[in-house]
Short mmCIF file of all heavy atoms in Angstrom, two decimals:
data_model
loop_
_atom_site.label_atom_id
_atom_site.label_comp_id
_atom_site.label_asym_id
_atom_site.label_seq_id
_atom_site.Cartn_x
_atom_site.Cartn_y
_atom_site.Cartn_z
N LEU A 1 0.85 -1.17 0.00
CA LEU A 1 0.00 0.00 0.01
C LEU A 1 0.88 1.23 0.00
O LEU A 1 1.81 1.33 0.78
CB LEU A 1 -0.90 0.02 1.24
CG LEU A 1 -1.81 -1.19 1.44
CD1 LEU A 1 -2.55 -1.07 2.78
CD2 LEU A 1 -2.83 -1.30 0.31
N VAL A 2 0.57 2.16 -0.87
CA VAL A 2 1.36 3.39 -1.01
C VAL A 2 0.45 4.59 -0.86
O VAL A 2 -0.43 4.81 -1.69
CB VAL A 2 2.11 3.44 -2.34
CG1 VAL A 2 2.93 4.73 -2.41
CG2 VAL A 2 3.02 2.23 -2.49
N GLU A 3 0.70 5.38 0.19
CA GLU A 3 -0.06 6.61 0.40
C GLU A 3 0.58 7.77 -0.29
O GLU A 3 1.80 7.82 -0.46
CB GLU A 3 -0.19 6.92 1.91
CG GLU A 3 -0.80 5.82 2.75
CD GLU A 3 0.24 5.01 3.49
OE1 GLU A 3 1.39 4.91 2.99
OE2 GLU A 3 -0.08 4.49 4.57
N SER A 4 -0.23 8.75 -0.63
CA SER A 4 0.26 9.99 -1.20
C SER A 4 -0.74 11.09 -0.92
O SER A 4 -1.90 10.86 -0.57
CB SER A 4 0.49 9.87 -2.71
OG SER A 4 -0.72 9.57 -3.38
N GLY A 5 -0.30 12.33 -1.07
CA GLY A 5 -1.18 13.48 -0.91
C GLY A 5 -1.03 14.26 0.37
O GLY A 5 -1.69 15.29 0.54
N GLY A 6 -0.16 13.81 1.24
CA GLY A 6 0.07 14.54 2.48
C GLY A 6 0.80 15.86 2.23
O GLY A 6 1.35 16.08 1.17
N GLY A 7 0.77 16.69 3.25
CA GLY A 7 1.46 17.97 3.11
C GLY A 7 1.09 18.93 4.22
O GLY A 7 0.50 18.54 5.23
N LEU A 8 1.45 20.18 4.03
CA LEU A 8 1.18 21.23 4.99
C LEU A 8 0.04 22.13 4.50
O LEU A 8 0.09 22.61 3.37
CB LEU A 8 2.44 22.07 5.19
CG LEU A 8 2.31 23.33 6.06
CD1 LEU A 8 1.97 22.94 7.49
CD2 LEU A 8 3.60 24.13 6.01
N VAL A 9 -0.97 22.28 5.33
CA VAL A 9 -2.11 23.14 4.99
C VAL A 9 -2.48 24.01 6.19
O VAL A 9 -2.12 23.68 7.32
CB VAL A 9 -3.34 22.34 4.54
CG1 VAL A 9 -3.04 21.53 3.30
CG2 VAL A 9 -3.80 21.40 5.67
N GLN A 10 -3.16 25.10 5.92
CA GLN A 10 -3.63 25.95 6.99
C GLN A 10 -4.96 25.43 7.54
O GLN A 10 -5.70 24.75 6.84
CB GLN A 10 -3.80 27.37 6.50
CG GLN A 10 -2.51 28.07 6.14
CD GLN A 10 -2.72 29.52 5.76
OE1 GLN A 10 -3.76 29.89 5.23
NE2 GLN A 10 -1.72 30.35 6.05
N ALA A 11 -5.22 25.76 8.78
CA ALA A 11 -6.51 25.39 9.38
C ALA A 11 -7.66 25.89 8.51
O ALA A 11 -7.64 27.01 8.02
CB ALA A 11 -6.62 25.97 10.79
N GLY A 12 -8.64 25.03 8.32
CA GLY A 12 -9.77 25.34 7.46
C GLY A 12 -9.59 24.90 6.03
O GLY A 12 -10.55 24.91 5.25
N GLY A 13 -8.39 24.49 5.71
CA GLY A 13 -8.09 24.04 4.36
C GLY A 13 -8.48 22.60 4.14
O GLY A 13 -9.01 21.91 5.02
N SER A 14 -8.19 22.10 2.94
CA SER A 14 -8.56 20.76 2.54
C SER A 14 -7.38 20.02 1.97
O SER A 14 -6.43 20.61 1.44
CB SER A 14 -9.70 20.79 1.51
OG SER A 14 -10.87 21.39 2.03
N LEU A 15 -7.47 18.72 2.03
CA LEU A 15 -6.44 17.85 1.51
C LEU A 15 -7.06 16.50 1.14
O LEU A 15 -7.97 16.07 1.84
CB LEU A 15 -5.33 17.65 2.55
CG LEU A 15 -3.92 17.28 2.10
CD1 LEU A 15 -3.34 18.35 1.18
CD2 LEU A 15 -3.03 17.08 3.31
N ARG A 16 -6.59 15.90 0.08
CA ARG A 16 -7.06 14.56 -0.27
C ARG A 16 -5.89 13.59 -0.30
O ARG A 16 -4.90 13.81 -1.00
CB ARG A 16 -7.76 14.55 -1.63
CG ARG A 16 -8.42 13.19 -1.92
CD ARG A 16 -9.18 13.16 -3.23
NE ARG A 16 -8.27 13.05 -4.38
CZ ARG A 16 -8.62 12.56 -5.56
NH1 ARG A 16 -9.86 12.10 -5.74
NH2 ARG A 16 -7.75 12.50 -6.54
N LEU A 17 -6.02 12.53 0.46
CA LEU A 17 -5.01 11.50 0.50
C LEU A 17 -5.46 10.34 -0.39
O LEU A 17 -6.65 10.03 -0.50
CB LEU A 17 -4.80 10.98 1.91
CG LEU A 17 -4.48 12.00 2.99
CD1 LEU A 17 -4.23 11.30 4.33
CD2 LEU A 17 -3.26 12.84 2.60
N SER A 18 -4.49 9.72 -1.01
CA SER A 18 -4.75 8.54 -1.84
C SER A 18 -3.92 7.35 -1.33
O SER A 18 -2.85 7.53 -0.76
CB SER A 18 -4.37 8.81 -3.29
OG SER A 18 -5.10 9.87 -3.84
N CYS A 19 -4.45 6.17 -1.54
CA CYS A 19 -3.73 4.95 -1.18
C CYS A 19 -3.98 3.92 -2.25
O CYS A 19 -5.10 3.49 -2.46
CB CYS A 19 -4.22 4.43 0.18
SG CYS A 19 -3.50 2.83 0.64
N ALA A 20 -2.91 3.55 -2.95
CA ALA A 20 -3.01 2.57 -4.02
C ALA A 20 -2.50 1.21 -3.53
O ALA A 20 -1.41 1.14 -2.98
CB ALA A 20 -2.19 3.04 -5.22
N ALA A 21 -3.30 0.18 -3.78
CA ALA A 21 -2.93 -1.16 -3.40
C ALA A 21 -2.34 -1.93 -4.57
O ALA A 21 -2.79 -1.79 -5.71
CB ALA A 21 -4.13 -1.91 -2.85
N SER A 22 -1.35 -2.72 -4.28
CA SER A 22 -0.70 -3.50 -5.35
C SER A 22 -1.55 -4.69 -5.80
O SER A 22 -1.39 -5.18 -6.90
CB SER A 22 0.66 -4.03 -4.84
OG SER A 22 0.51 -4.89 -3.74
N ASN A 23 -2.44 -5.12 -4.92
CA ASN A 23 -3.29 -6.27 -5.24
C ASN A 23 -4.67 -5.82 -5.62
O ASN A 23 -5.06 -4.65 -5.44
CB ASN A 23 -3.36 -7.22 -4.03
CG ASN A 23 -4.07 -6.58 -2.86
OD1 ASN A 23 -3.80 -5.44 -2.49
ND2 ASN A 23 -4.98 -7.32 -2.26
N ARG A 24 -5.45 -6.76 -6.14
CA ARG A 24 -6.83 -6.47 -6.52
C ARG A 24 -7.71 -6.63 -5.28
O ARG A 24 -7.74 -7.70 -4.68
CB ARG A 24 -7.29 -7.42 -7.62
CG ARG A 24 -8.77 -7.38 -7.93
CD ARG A 24 -9.11 -8.27 -9.10
NE ARG A 24 -10.55 -8.46 -9.21
CZ ARG A 24 -11.25 -9.45 -8.66
NH1 ARG A 24 -10.61 -10.36 -7.96
NH2 ARG A 24 -12.55 -9.53 -8.81
N MET A 25 -8.39 -5.55 -4.94
CA MET A 25 -9.35 -5.60 -3.83
C MET A 25 -10.60 -6.33 -4.31
O MET A 25 -11.05 -6.15 -5.46
CB MET A 25 -9.69 -4.20 -3.36
CG MET A 25 -8.53 -3.42 -2.76
SD MET A 25 -7.98 -4.08 -1.16
CE MET A 25 -6.47 -4.90 -1.66
N THR A 26 -11.16 -7.11 -3.42
CA THR A 26 -12.36 -7.87 -3.75
C THR A 26 -13.49 -7.54 -2.78
O THR A 26 -13.34 -6.72 -1.88
CB THR A 26 -12.08 -9.38 -3.68
OG1 THR A 26 -11.97 -9.80 -2.31
CG2 THR A 26 -10.80 -9.74 -4.41
N SER A 27 -14.63 -8.21 -2.98
CA SER A 27 -15.76 -7.98 -2.11
C SER A 27 -15.50 -8.46 -0.69
O SER A 27 -16.28 -8.16 0.22
CB SER A 27 -16.99 -8.70 -2.68
OG SER A 27 -16.79 -10.10 -2.76
N ASN A 28 -14.43 -9.18 -0.48
CA ASN A 28 -14.07 -9.66 0.85
C ASN A 28 -13.14 -8.72 1.58
O ASN A 28 -12.69 -9.01 2.67
CB ASN A 28 -13.40 -11.04 0.77
CG ASN A 28 -14.36 -12.10 0.25
OD1 ASN A 28 -15.53 -12.15 0.65
ND2 ASN A 28 -13.88 -12.96 -0.63
N ASN A 29 -12.82 -7.61 0.95
CA ASN A 29 -11.88 -6.64 1.51
C ASN A 29 -12.53 -5.37 2.02
O ASN A 29 -13.61 -4.99 1.60
CB ASN A 29 -10.83 -6.24 0.49
CG ASN A 29 -9.86 -7.35 0.14
OD1 ASN A 29 -9.74 -7.73 -1.04
ND2 ASN A 29 -9.17 -7.88 1.15
N GLY A 30 -11.82 -4.73 2.91
CA GLY A 30 -12.15 -3.39 3.33
C GLY A 30 -10.85 -2.61 3.43
O GLY A 30 -9.79 -3.19 3.59
N MET A 31 -10.95 -1.31 3.32
CA MET A 31 -9.77 -0.47 3.48
C MET A 31 -10.09 0.67 4.40
O MET A 31 -11.25 1.12 4.46
CB MET A 31 -9.27 0.05 2.13
CG MET A 31 -8.73 -1.05 1.21
SD MET A 31 -7.98 -0.44 -0.30
CE MET A 31 -6.43 0.21 0.34
N GLY A 32 -9.08 1.13 5.09
CA GLY A 32 -9.31 2.18 6.05
C GLY A 32 -8.13 3.07 6.24
O GLY A 32 -7.03 2.84 5.72
N TRP A 33 -8.35 4.10 7.03
CA TRP A 33 -7.32 5.07 7.40
C TRP A 33 -7.21 5.17 8.91
O TRP A 33 -8.22 5.25 9.61
CB TRP A 33 -7.63 6.45 6.83
CG TRP A 33 -7.57 6.55 5.33
CD1 TRP A 33 -8.59 6.35 4.47
CD2 TRP A 33 -6.42 6.84 4.56
NE1 TRP A 33 -8.14 6.51 3.16
CE2 TRP A 33 -6.82 6.82 3.20
CE3 TRP A 33 -5.10 7.14 4.89
CZ2 TRP A 33 -5.92 7.08 2.15
CZ3 TRP A 33 -4.19 7.39 3.84
CH2 TRP A 33 -4.63 7.36 2.50
N PHE A 34 -5.99 5.13 9.39
CA PHE A 34 -5.69 5.40 10.77
C PHE A 34 -4.70 6.56 10.80
O PHE A 34 -4.09 6.89 9.81
CB PHE A 34 -5.07 4.18 11.43
CG PHE A 34 -6.02 3.03 11.63
CD1 PHE A 34 -6.41 2.23 10.56
CD2 PHE A 34 -6.53 2.73 12.89
CE1 PHE A 34 -7.29 1.19 10.74
CE2 PHE A 34 -7.41 1.68 13.08
CZ PHE A 34 -7.79 0.89 11.99
N ARG A 35 -4.56 7.15 11.97
CA ARG A 35 -3.57 8.22 12.10
C ARG A 35 -2.91 8.18 13.46
O ARG A 35 -3.46 7.64 14.43
CB ARG A 35 -4.22 9.59 11.86
CG ARG A 35 -5.23 10.01 12.95
CD ARG A 35 -5.91 11.31 12.54
NE ARG A 35 -6.83 11.76 13.56
CZ ARG A 35 -7.64 12.80 13.42
NH1 ARG A 35 -7.63 13.51 12.30
NH2 ARG A 35 -8.45 13.15 14.41
N ARG A 36 -1.73 8.74 13.52
CA ARG A 36 -1.00 8.82 14.78
C ARG A 36 -0.44 10.24 14.90
O ARG A 36 0.43 10.64 14.14
CB ARG A 36 0.12 7.80 14.84
CG ARG A 36 0.80 7.76 16.19
CD ARG A 36 1.62 6.52 16.35
NE ARG A 36 2.15 6.39 17.70
CZ ARG A 36 2.61 5.27 18.22
NH1 ARG A 36 2.64 4.16 17.50
NH2 ARG A 36 3.07 5.27 19.46
N ALA A 37 -0.96 10.96 15.87
CA ALA A 37 -0.52 12.31 16.13
C ALA A 37 0.70 12.29 17.04
O ALA A 37 0.93 11.30 17.75
CB ALA A 37 -1.63 13.11 16.80
N PRO A 38 1.52 13.35 17.03
CA PRO A 38 2.71 13.39 17.88
C PRO A 38 2.37 13.17 19.34
O PRO A 38 1.47 13.82 19.89
CB PRO A 38 3.25 14.81 17.64
CG PRO A 38 2.75 15.17 16.28
CD PRO A 38 1.39 14.56 16.19
N GLY A 39 3.03 12.22 19.96
CA GLY A 39 2.85 11.95 21.35
C GLY A 39 1.57 11.21 21.70
O GLY A 39 1.26 11.05 22.88
N LYS A 40 0.81 10.76 20.71
CA LYS A 40 -0.44 10.08 20.94
C LYS A 40 -0.42 8.70 20.30
O LYS A 40 0.39 8.40 19.45
CB LYS A 40 -1.61 10.88 20.41
CG LYS A 40 -1.79 12.26 21.05
CD LYS A 40 -3.03 12.96 20.53
CE LYS A 40 -4.28 12.23 21.00
NZ LYS A 40 -5.52 12.96 20.58
N GLU A 41 -1.38 7.88 20.75
CA GLU A 41 -1.50 6.54 20.17
C GLU A 41 -2.24 6.59 18.85
O GLU A 41 -2.92 7.57 18.52
CB GLU A 41 -2.23 5.64 21.16
CG GLU A 41 -1.48 5.37 22.45
CD GLU A 41 -2.21 4.40 23.36
OE1 GLU A 41 -3.37 4.05 23.07
OE2 GLU A 41 -1.60 4.00 24.36
N ARG A 42 -2.10 5.52 18.12
CA ARG A 42 -2.82 5.37 16.86
C ARG A 42 -4.31 5.44 17.08
O ARG A 42 -4.84 4.91 18.07
CB ARG A 42 -2.43 4.03 16.24
CG ARG A 42 -3.19 3.65 14.98
CD ARG A 42 -3.02 2.17 14.69
NE ARG A 42 -3.55 1.34 15.76
CZ ARG A 42 -2.81 0.66 16.61
NH1 ARG A 42 -1.49 0.65 16.52
NH2 ARG A 42 -3.40 -0.06 17.57
N GLU A 43 -5.03 6.10 16.18
CA GLU A 43 -6.47 6.14 16.26
C GLU A 43 -7.10 5.89 14.90
O GLU A 43 -6.55 6.22 13.86
CB GLU A 43 -6.98 7.46 16.85
CG GLU A 43 -6.73 8.68 15.96
CD GLU A 43 -7.38 9.92 16.52
OE1 GLU A 43 -8.29 9.81 17.38
OE2 GLU A 43 -6.98 11.04 16.07
N PHE A 44 -8.28 5.32 14.93
CA PHE A 44 -9.04 5.05 13.72
C PHE A 44 -9.59 6.35 13.16
O PHE A 44 -10.05 7.21 13.90
CB PHE A 44 -10.17 4.08 14.04
CG PHE A 44 -11.16 3.91 12.93
CD1 PHE A 44 -10.85 3.15 11.82
CD2 PHE A 44 -12.41 4.52 13.00
CE1 PHE A 44 -11.76 2.99 10.79
CE2 PHE A 44 -13.31 4.35 11.97
CZ PHE A 44 -12.99 3.58 10.89
N VAL A 45 -9.59 6.46 11.84
CA VAL A 45 -10.15 7.64 11.17
C VAL A 45 -11.41 7.28 10.39
O VAL A 45 -12.47 7.85 10.60
CB VAL A 45 -9.12 8.28 10.24
CG1 VAL A 45 -9.72 9.46 9.50
CG2 VAL A 45 -7.88 8.72 11.01
#
């Protein structure tokens, strides 16, 4: 999995992240986003 689209934005702005998978996703799959802020644990997005 390869993410792209991150960067620096001002508060109130917008950003779109992409994640391309090397394999073919099927009806048995799900995909998601998690994040980890500085000094904090991973959280579901």
Side-chain angles (χ1 to χ4, degrees):
L1 303 174
V2 180
E3 303 100 332
S4 62
L8 174 65
V9 298
Q10 292 185 329
S14 298
L15 203 61
R16 188 178 76 155
L17 306 182
S18 300
C19 174
S22 63
N23 66 313
R24 171 176 167 267
M25 296 290 105
T26 73
S27 61
N28 296 317
N29 291 123
M31 294 186 73
W33 293 91
F34 291 75
R35 68 186 182 186
R36 186 164 188 163
K40 299 185 66 177
E41 295 183 352
R42 174 196 62 251
E43 67 173 343
F44 170 76
V45 177

